[in-house]
Amino acid sequence: MNEMIRTENLGRRFGSVEAVAEVSLSVRPGEIYGFLGLNGAGKTTTIRMLLGLVRPTVGRVLIDGQEIVPGRSGLWNRVGYLVETPSAYPELTVEENLRLIARLRLLSRPAEAVTRVIRQLDLSAFAGRQARHLSLGNAQRLGLAKALIHDPELLILDEPSNALDPAGIVEIRTMLQTMARERGKTVFVSSHNLDEVSRFADRIGIIHEGHMVHELAMEDVQSLTSRQLEVGTTDLAGAKRALEAAGYEVRDGSGCLWLPDVRAVERPEDVNLLLVRSGLTPSRLVVREENLEAYFLRAIGNTGEQQ
């Protein structure tokens, strides 16, 4: 299968500090790949190695089958990127910043490219404003515009929704989905905003303390996330005895009981009937399913226990 991004045992040390350790991942063409981790997990260092900004201590990076090595500059005509805080020339306007980038990119139709990307990032109202006077959110939009100005095949974005308001986050999400689904672009996006990434990523990779914890498709997350039946009643101790006597696994919660059994989750009405017949009328029966954030925290917690 073709791969737009592939890393093989990628690692980077800074002196005695191991920032990234043996990260192997793959991203297919036209895929949106969410690279998830806490702050300091190694996301930005990995992205810098993907872009050739930092040389790996071990391992290698391949973009569309080509290894990232010094002097291989032609590949970057096909890649757009935004790493950490977006930079701009503060005295230049938004439009002037983009015109300069278009010239540096040697675009054949720079004026058209600038007009297109200003419209695409909803920057028309700020085109004549100096970059130093932009809000954090619009500075982020300008950074994204610079990444998109040459219509790249691959986008590598580090926390692209930083400083954006909720409406802006939705706009960026929709734009990235459109680029991938309708135009076949590949998107690699790092984030600690797990809920947002879960809304549009095809696959995710979880990095923790420099190590890859999991790499899986979003549909697989649903099968791995846990589901439990939450039970509330005025007599929790009595309910626990009755349920355990019936063979259910019961866990104590905060003011409730948790039943992880599949039969309890799939047939809560049986639990209700059992409690009623035991003289313990339930006040609450709710199936709870953990979200991506809960799964992520469970995943990195298990990894920490194993190390």
Side-chain angles (χ1 to χ4, degrees):
M1 182 179 293
N2 294 334
E3 295 171 307
M4 183 59 74
I5 299 176
R6 179 180 179 83
T7 71
E8 298 175 350
N9 300 317
L10 195 64
R12 174 68 196 193
R13 299 187 70 91
F14 295 98
S16 61
V17 177
E18 188 175 47
V20 175
E22 298 183 357
V23 167
S24 296
L25 58 82
S26 65
V27 182
R28 296 185 286 266
E31 184 173 54
I32 300 178
Y33 187 100
F35 192 48
L36 307 179
L38 303 174
N39 290 332
K43 301 190 302 297
T44 298
T45 300
T46 301
I47 283 180
R48 288 184 173 277
M49 288 190 284
L50 294 183
L51 295 169
L53 301 174
V54 172
R55 186 174 297 183
T57 306
V58 295
R60 63 176 186 159
V61 177
L62 295 95
I63 301 293
D64 199 17
Q66 299 183 56
E67 186 173 357
I68 302 303
V69 295
R72 181 165 284 168
S73 58
L75 184 63
W76 305 120
N77 293 328
R78 301 164 54 197
V79 180
Y81 60 90
L82 173 64
V83 182
E84 294 185 308
T85 305
S87 60
Y89 293 97
E91 301 298 327
L92 299 183
T93 67
V94 166
E95 185 172 358
E96 288 168 342
N97 267 280
L98 292 172
R99 283 180 180 175
L100 179 58
I101 295 299
R103 290 177 61 187
L104 292 174
R105 285 280 185 184
L106 303 178
L107 301 184
S108 58
R109 296 180 177 179
E112 291 182 15
V114 170
T115 300
R116 170 184 56 80
V117 80
I118 284 177
R119 185 182 306 113
Q120 188 175 10
L121 272 299
D122 197 22
L123 285 167
S124 299
F126 308 98
R129 183 173 299 183
Q130 288 181 320
R132 64 177 178 171
H133 295 310
L134 293 175
S135 66
L136 291 175
N138 284 322
Q140 189 78 2
R141 289 176 186 273
L142 176 57
L144 286 166
K146 291 163 64 177
L148 291 166
I149 196 166
H150 57 301
D151 195 24
E153 298 173 37
L154 169 63
L155 266 178
I156 298 177
L157 305 174
D158 190 11
E159 302 282 2
S161 60
N162 267 0
L164 295 178
D165 59 25
I169 291 173
V170 172
E171 289 173 12
I172 298 303
R173 179 206 310 161
T174 302
M175 181 189 70
L176 295 178
Q177 287 178 312
T178 299
M179 291 178 66
R181 308 290 186 263
E182 299 180 11
R183 303 183 61 198
K185 307 293 187 181
T186 307
V187 181
F188 183 96
V189 53
S190 83
S191 182
H192 64 272
N193 189 337
L194 309 182
D195 181 62
E196 173 58 22
V197 170
S198 70
R199 296 173 185 268
F200 66 90
D202 299 307
R203 287 194 306 135
I204 61 170
I206 297 176
I207 186 171
H208 183 59
E209 296 180 346
H211 296 264
M212 283 291 287
V213 178
H214 288 293
E215 186 181 37
L216 65 167
M218 280 305 303
E219 57 263 28
D220 293 332
V221 173
Q222 297 176 0
S223 65
L224 293 172
T225 51
S226 66
R227 300 174 70 208
Q228 300 184 77
L229 179 66
E230 179 185 357
V231 178
T233 180
T234 55
D235 184 1
L236 292 177
K240 184 176 182 179
R241 288 192 297 270
L243 290 166
E244 288 179 336
Y248 288 99
E249 179 185 353
V250 183
R251 300 172 182 171
D252 293 320
S254 178
C256 67
L257 300 174
W258 293 103
L259 278 66
D261 297 49
V262 173
R263 59 188 180 125
V265 171
E266 294 184 349
R267 293 188 60 84
E269 62 272 20
D270 291 348
V271 173
N272 181 70
L273 182 60
L274 171 65
L275 293 174
V276 170
R277 286 178 173 173
S278 302
L280 301 160
T281 304
S283 58
R284 184 168 66 258
L285 283 175
V286 182
V287 175
R288 305 287 189 186
E289 183 170 356
E290 67 180 356
N291 57 18
L292 179 59
E293 180 177 4
Y295 172 75
F296 169 83
L297 293 173
R298 180 159 59 88
I300 65 174
N302 291 344
T303 300
E305 292 168 5
Q306 294 168 3
Q307 290 179 342

